[in-house]
Amino acid sequence: AQSVTQLGSHVSVSEGALVLLRCNYSSSVPPYLFWYVQYPNQGLQLLLKYTTGATLVKGINGFEAEFKKSETSFHLTKPSAHMSDAAEYFCAVSEGRTGFQKLVFGTGTRLLVSP
Amino acid sequence: NAGVTQTPKFQVLKTGQSMTLQCAQDMNHNSMYWYRQDPGMGLRLIYYSASEGTTDKGEVPNGYNVSRLNKREFSLRLESAAPSQTSVYFCASSWDRGHNQPQHFGDGTRLSIL
């Protein structure tokens, strides 16, 4: 079965600093990978996704992620943090190549941004 | 611009009571899902519906039932609520069963069982 590991349940950065949220996955087949963001008292919103093709994926709000097959990683980055980026971030992998899409989620990383 | 709408937003139940969580989407999506979110555990799939007329168990189906009423609506029922079912419940939908299709989420139902 596929799984996702997010290193660090909390990450703190200063406004303007680099944001790096780590995600590693395990999969026996080429994965489809997603990053979602959750603001307080809201549902999850898609930030970006990797399916096939270019390994550097750009998403909304200046975020991007790079798929590295050799490292089984899909880390999320943003060059300069903004206060509005404070939220919880979830990495997810699509389970299986046939049949129905089921997403397996990581346990989430809460991003704290200080002035 | 509604997307996925969940009702109610909050609910408190006593152990043994029953209730139904409602979910509706207006994006003409074929597939719908129910998740629960617990601290430190991410989201876990309870049930899903690949298309109208079909439902299947996910990772944690015990204690729940679902109904895909029509293409728009997918409800989750707790027949006899237990404190372990205290959680935040999210409904989601996607265009189809494709593995590259993103899921769109509602704002959740916060359920407490005393």
Side-chain angles (χ1 to χ4, degrees):
Chain A
Q2 293 171 315
S3 66
V4 175
T5 301
Q6 290 185 241
L7 262 181
S9 59
H10 292 80
V11 170
S12 296
V13 300
S14 298
E15 192 172 21
L18 171 72
V19 175
L20 170 61
L21 305 181
R22 299 179 186 274
C23 173
N24 288 88
Y25 68 91
S26 67
S27 174
S28 58
V29 298
Y32 290 149
L33 295 159
F34 303 80
W35 273 102
Y36 285 84
V37 60
Q38 184 181 31
Y39 299 103
N41 298 317
Q42 294 186 24
L44 280 68
Q45 301 173 30
L46 181 69
L47 266 181
L48 48 81
K49 66 177 183 179
Y50 168 78
T51 54
T52 58
T55 56
L56 182 62
V57 181
K58 294 186 184 301
I60 61 173
N61 302 337
F63 284 92
E64 60 183 35
E66 186 171 11
F67 170 60
K68 292 187 176 180
K69 184 178 177 180
S70 61
E71 299 177 7
T72 61
S73 69
F74 190 56
H75 301 332
L76 183 70
T77 60
K78 182 174 181 178
S80 177
H82 192 273
M83 296 294 289
S84 60
D85 294 327
E88 190 154 21
Y89 293 79
F90 292 92
C91 183
V93 60
S94 180
E95 186 177 76
R97 266 292 188 253
T98 59
F100 189 68
Q101 180 216 47
K102 283 186 278 187
L103 283 180
V104 176
F105 286 87
T107 54
T109 298
R110 186 169 298 279
L111 177 65
L112 308 169
V113 183
S114 56
Chain B
N1 244 23
V4 179
T5 302
Q6 292 184 237
T7 55
K9 294 190 185 303
F10 303 93
Q11 185 70 48
V12 178
L13 292 178
K14 294 181 179 178
T15 298
Q17 286 185 317
S18 62
M19 83 161 294
T20 300
L21 280 60
Q22 306 288 353
C23 174
Q25 53 90 7
D26 62 2
M27 296 173 283
N28 202 32
H29 285 172
N30 291 297
S31 303
M32 298 185 73
Y33 315 77
W34 276 105
Y35 294 90
R36 60 178 289 172
Q37 184 181 30
D38 301 293
M41 301 189 73
L43 274 76
R44 292 181 292 169
L45 183 64
I46 305 171
Y47 270 93
Y48 63 95
S49 171
S51 59
E52 186 179 356
T54 69
T55 61
D56 281 288
K57 294 178 181 179
E59 181 185 356
V60 289
N62 291 345
Y64 305 96
N65 285 300
V66 291
S67 296
R68 183 75 182 265
L69 304 170
N70 48 54
K71 190 172 185 179
R72 290 186 62 248
E73 298 172 288
F74 188 40
S75 63
L76 178 72
R77 183 162 179 83
L78 286 70
E79 291 291 350
S80 179
S84 61
Q85 294 178 304
T86 293
S87 188
V88 182
Y89 291 86
F90 288 99
C91 178
S93 68
S94 63
W95 177 246
D96 63 17
R97 62 179 67 198
H99 292 270
N100 63 348
Q101 296 297 312
Q103 294 182 15
H104 300 258
F105 287 80
D107 285 342
T109 294
R110 284 147 185 83
L111 182 62
S112 292
I113 299 164
L114 307 176

